[in-house]
Amino acid sequence: MKTIVRLAGILLVLGLPAAAGAGEVDHSGYDALLKKHTHDGLVDYAAIKKDMSDLEAYLQALSDSSALHYDEWTRDARMAFWINAYNAATIYAVAAEYPVERGGSARDDGQGPDRVKRVEVLRDSMYIELAGRPVTLNEIEQKILREEFGDPRIHFALVPASLGGPRLSADAYSAEEIDAQLERDAVRFVNDPGKVRVNVTRGRLHVSEMFDWYAADFALGDGEIPGWLRAYRKKTRGFVKFIAERVDANTRAAIMKRSLKVDYTDYDWSLNHGVRAQNAQ
């Protein structure tokens, strides 16, 4: 049965920043949680589960503030809000399921099931009230961020608790920094050899399976296609150009010199869990 996560009874609500627009959420509490419980993109879900109060308070603040003021926010404030909401709610869902069990399908994890498959189920079954209505994680990604904002860089900011996705940033997104943050995330992703790699000898461009799933989001108009890019298949042109603009000079030259065969790397569904951030530094 589908459930609506209202986080009723949570009384601690984060304060509003003095310089923010009307009713914008103060993301500093979530920012502090990320810095305390993440390291190099990995999350210490066990530590978070021991005390969920800060995360619950943040999600409640998102719900309360957006119900009253969402229509008054700027586009950048809305985008930061939805990305933070998606990542925070995902962390909450995983922490609530922690500790993980062993045994199960290969989709769950490369070493044993770290319940990423369970989180995938929750993407469509767990509702949270935001902007005055109940939404799922999947709706936040597919219906709101993809359709309403149309920025393909969101795919490198949304973290579905798996190693195949982008690394979770150790800072919250904000209206003031959202463009720079999204660009940072995109650059980091395409320069990760586990996500994008060129094999010049074999004439291959190995890319994350994510680019196959979301190829339409990178699509280009005819006037945006430089001559070198026309040698690539139409489906791949958008993300190949996106990658070429953000990798190092040698990789860019290899991509532009001749058409490389695009190979998709299988997505790694292993859970992105790790030790407490302060103990890993």
Side-chain angles (χ1 to χ4, degrees):
M1 182 176 66
K2 293 183 177 181
T3 57
I4 296 179
V5 179
R6 298 180 185 274
L7 303 176
I10 303 300
L11 301 179
L12 177 62
V13 178
L14 304 179
L16 301 178
E24 289 182 20
V25 182
D26 180 2
H27 299 292
S28 61
Y30 174 54
D31 187 86
L33 182 145
L34 290 172
K35 287 178 170 55
K36 182 178 181 180
H37 294 302
T38 68
H39 174 70
D40 196 25
L42 302 179
V43 184
D44 190 348
Y45 295 107
I48 293 173
K49 184 170 185 175
K50 290 179 181 178
D51 183 2
M52 300 275 272
S53 60
D54 288 344
L55 187 53
E56 289 174 337
Y58 175 68
L59 290 171
Q60 184 66 64
L62 292 182
S63 179
D64 292 346
S65 185
S66 61
L68 294 173
H69 302 289
Y70 183 77
D71 291 340
E72 305 167 31
W73 297 347
T74 65
R75 180 182 185 278
D76 287 348
R78 293 180 184 184
M79 186 181 294
F81 165 82
W82 287 115
I83 294 174
N84 286 333
Y86 179 97
N87 289 340
T90 299
I91 292 172
Y92 183 90
V94 176
E97 291 281 319
Y98 220 75
V100 299
E101 297 175 353
R102 293 294 167 189
S105 75
R107 179 179 172 85
D108 291 336
D109 162 314
Q111 304 171 347
D114 283 340
R115 271 206 207 170
V116 173
K117 188 174 182 180
R118 170 63 176 155
V119 176
E120 284 296 294
V121 172
L122 289 174
R123 282 168 54 84
D124 286 309
S125 63
M126 185 186 78
Y127 283 73
I128 181 170
E129 277 203 4
L130 296 170
R133 67 187 191 276
V135 294
T136 65
L137 293 173
N138 195 47
E139 287 171 344
I140 292 174
E141 178 185 9
Q142 304 295 340
K143 299 296 184 182
I144 298 173
L145 283 167
R146 290 185 72 192
E147 293 186 5
E148 295 184 17
F149 295 93
D151 190 329
R153 296 177 300 174
I154 61 123
H155 297 301
F156 313 112
L158 300 176
V159 182
S162 53
L163 293 178
R167 287 188 290 169
L168 182 67
S169 295
D171 56 347
Y173 295 87
S174 68
E176 297 75 19
E177 301 292 333
I178 186 68
D179 185 67
Q181 290 173 316
L182 290 176
E183 187 60 25
R184 171 206 63 193
D185 295 339
V187 170
R188 181 169 57 195
F189 190 90
V190 302
N191 284 280
D192 180 344
K195 306 296 193 302
V196 174
R197 178 172 55 87
V198 169
N199 186 323
V200 176
T201 303
R202 297 189 61 193
R204 296 287 194 273
L205 174 59
H206 301 278
V207 302
S208 165
E209 198 173 10
M210 285 175 55
F211 288 106
D212 185 30
W213 299 341
Y214 302 116
D217 293 2
F218 297 87
L220 302 171
D222 290 338
E224 302 175 281
I225 304 174
W228 66 268
L229 192 58
R230 295 187 182 277
Y232 285 86
R233 293 177 56 201
K234 185 175 182 180
K235 176 182 177 179
T236 69
R237 289 173 183 170
F239 67 73
V240 168
K241 183 174 184 287
F242 183 93
I243 291 169
E245 292 173 343
R246 292 168 174 81
V247 292
D248 63 86
N250 290 335
T251 303
R252 182 182 308 115
I255 293 173
M256 296 176 63
K257 185 176 181 180
R258 63 189 177 96
S259 175
L260 303 175
K261 178 178 172 53
V262 175
D263 285 339
Y264 298 106
T265 304
D266 289 344
Y267 191 89
D268 184 353
W269 290 98
S270 304
L271 188 63
N272 64 339
H273 59 166
V275 298
R276 186 185 298 270
Q278 56 264 43
N279 291 339
Q281 295 174 345

